[in-house]
Amino acid sequence: DASGELNDCWVFLSGLGWIAQPAVPAGMVARSLHSMCRGPGNTVVVFGGGTSIAVLNDTWVWNNGTWRR
């Protein structure tokens, strides 16, 4: 978009490289300056960040190919 923030998701698969994933769910907006870490098992946790017009304080968890708020 015009802000330069991207709303895409990629995973790295050994031997295959970076693979684009299906679109993120409604409500998970493009963001920058967020925090991301590995959670329990093979989950990934994303917290906060912001857009060009708002500060975000939501938490999302990626688990088995699905994002949940």
Side-chain angles (χ1 to χ4, degrees), residues 22-47:
V24 296
M28 188 177 193
V29 299
R31 62 192 64 217
S32 59
L33 303 174
H34 55 281
S35 296
M36 180 184 290
C37 67
R38 182 175 178 190
N42 288 321
T43 63
V44 175
V45 179
V46 174
F47 172 75

Side-chain angles (χ1 to χ4, degrees), residues 4-33:
E5 297 157 345
L6 301 175
N7 200 21
D8 54 356
C9 180
W10 295 76
V11 295
F12 184 82
L13 300 175
S14 182
L16 297 175
W18 289 101
I19 307 294
Q21 297 300 293
V24 296
M28 188 177 193
V29 299
R31 62 192 64 217
S32 59
L33 303 174

